[in-house]
Amino acid sequence: MKIKQLSLILAVGVSTSVLTGCGIYNKYNAEKIDSDLVKEYAEALKQQDDSTAFGNLSWRSVFTDPALVDLIDRALANNKDLRNAKLNVDIAHAQLKGAKLSYLPSLTFAPGVNGAKYGHSDLSWNYQLPLAVNWEIDIFGKILNTKRGAQVAEMQTRYYEQAVRSQIIAGVAQCYYSIAALESQLKLSRETSELWKESVNVMRNLKEAGRLREDAVVQSLAQYYSIEATITDIELSLHEANNTLSLLVNEMPQKWTISPDATLNVPVMKRTAIPMAELAVRPDVRASEMTLASAFYSTASARAAFYPSLNITANG
């Protein structure tokens, strides 16, 4: 009897070791990936975030212009891409709830009634109230890997939402200061154009007085036309920048009133490369990592599908 018990224990132990070796029960761990870059990334995730680093500052402490802050708030409230990202988070959260409920038994209740009549007999009724219970025992990790995959999928959507949020803030700020720079450039170009226009008139007067030749007047006129063409290009770029900002804020295309003197004061960072600690906290990088983790658990689920399933069923 003891030999049979020992054999059973050894068989269970060997089976567990084989299943673990196949990666069915393993958790995703970036440190186990055979890549120096990924291992460096995993080590950077363990470091404590530096709250004073420029990348970890709140956008409100970086962008202090009241007009820009108002535009960013409107973009975060109205942007369709951000709304879509938030809906994806809700979908992933609901899928995670469904994966967790897979551990519970399922109940099927399908009541029915039918009647039959033969000859001159009265109509006889037959009532059915069947109840079926099915409970899958997760021995080989099928439900476990599905739940873990749903967890990393939810984390991926949250990181993606954060990445979209960061892109919207950066996009609005970039358009804002681009419009300010173009307005300043347009103002300077128009003032320069007026000066060259007066210069052309002076050249013509000097030419009529016999003090200059025709080629000097032609060169001055060509420079004036060149500046006029530049003004047209600046106006086109300004129109495109206004349309881009309207698209980000999700409002009708309009000309945004932005002061040409608007400037951004940020600390000067002198370095030759970006530290891994800053790359590791980027939401788009974390979202890509969650995509890899999701593929890891999908592979584990596919391996678990080769093993039999154990279901406890009851009908009444």
Side-chain angles (χ1 to χ4, degrees):
M1 185 66 180
K2 292 182 178 180
I3 296 177
K4 291 183 178 180
Q5 292 179 351
L6 181 60
S7 300
L8 180 60
I9 293 173
L10 289 176
V12 173
V14 171
S15 301
T16 304
S17 300
V18 171
L19 294 176
T20 304
C22 292
I24 293 179
Y25 299 109
N26 294 342
K27 274 191 173 184
Y28 167 79
N29 189 354
E31 296 180 353
K32 295 183 179 180
I33 298 177
D34 188 15
S35 172
D36 295 336
L37 182 62
V38 176
K39 290 180 180 178
E40 183 182 357
Y41 166 79
E43 290 296 329
L45 289 176
K46 297 180 181 179
Q47 300 178 10
Q48 187 175 2
D49 294 340
D50 184 8
S51 59
T52 61
F54 182 74
N56 294 329
L57 295 177
S58 171
W59 68 267
R60 294 184 182 275
S61 61
V62 177
F63 305 120
T64 56
D65 190 331
L68 176 57
V69 171
D70 179 65
L71 287 173
I72 293 176
D73 285 333
R74 289 159 67 178
L76 295 178
N78 301 330
N79 190 272
K80 292 183 178 180
D81 293 333
L82 186 58
R83 289 182 181 179
N84 185 50
K86 290 179 179 179
L87 290 176
N88 288 334
V89 172
D90 296 337
I91 293 173
H93 184 68
Q95 291 175 344
L96 176 59
K97 282 186 177 181
K100 290 180 178 179
L101 291 176
S102 298
Y103 284 102
L104 302 177
S106 61
L107 301 176
T108 303
F109 181 61
V113 59
N114 58 73
K117 183 178 181 181
Y118 301 97
H120 299 285
S121 62
D122 295 334
L123 184 65
S124 61
W125 295 94
N126 182 22
Y127 300 93
Q128 295 180 350
L129 300 174
L131 178 64
V133 181
N134 183 25
W135 187 17
E136 181 177 358
I137 308 301
D138 190 31
I139 297 178
F140 300 106
K142 295 179 181 179
I143 301 177
L144 175 64
N145 286 297
T146 301
K147 186 198 73 171
R148 288 176 176 175
Q151 286 175 337
V152 297
E154 183 190 25
M155 294 174 62
Q156 179 190 8
T157 56
R158 292 188 183 278
Y159 286 131
Y160 178 74
E161 178 193 3
Q162 185 180 356
V164 172
R165 180 184 176 88
S166 300
Q167 290 174 356
I168 292 172
I169 294 173
V172 172
Q174 183 179 2
C175 286
Y176 182 84
Y177 290 111
S178 295
I179 292 174
L182 289 170
E183 290 282 5
S184 178
Q185 188 178 358
L186 181 60
K187 179 182 178 182
L188 181 60
S189 297
R190 285 174 175 172
E191 292 175 354
T192 305
S193 175
E194 290 297 325
L195 293 175
W196 273 101
K197 185 177 181 180
E198 295 178 2
S199 177
V200 170
N201 293 330
V202 171
M203 290 285 187
R204 286 174 176 171
N205 293 333
L206 290 174
K207 183 235 177 200
E208 291 178 358
R211 301 184 61 180
L212 289 178
R213 295 183 302 179
E214 180 67 21
D215 58 344
V217 178
V218 172
Q219 289 178 0
S220 178
L221 189 60
Q223 185 65 29
Y224 169 72
Y225 288 145
S226 176
I227 295 174
E228 285 291 318
T230 304
I231 292 176
T232 304
D233 294 337
I234 296 174
E235 289 176 343
L236 178 59
S237 299
L238 185 60
H239 180 70
E240 293 175 349
N242 279 291
N243 286 343
T244 302
L245 184 56
S246 300
L247 183 63
L248 287 171
V249 183
N250 195 25
E251 294 185 7
M252 291 296 294
Q254 56 184 289
K255 186 180 184 301
W256 298 93
T257 304
I258 298 175
S259 173
D261 300 327
T263 56
L264 175 63
N265 298 320
V266 295
V268 179
M269 294 178 289
K270 296 181 180 179
R271 56 190 180 187
T272 58
I274 301 177
M276 179 60 75
E278 295 185 14
L279 290 175
V281 296
R282 284 178 56 114
D284 53 346
V285 175
R286 298 301 303 272
S288 298
E289 183 194 8
M290 293 302 102
T291 302
L292 177 61
S294 179
F296 176 85
Y297 290 122
S298 296
T299 303
S301 297
R303 289 173 176 170
F306 285 97
Y307 296 94
S309 58
L310 177 60
N311 294 319
I312 299 176
T313 59
N315 297 304

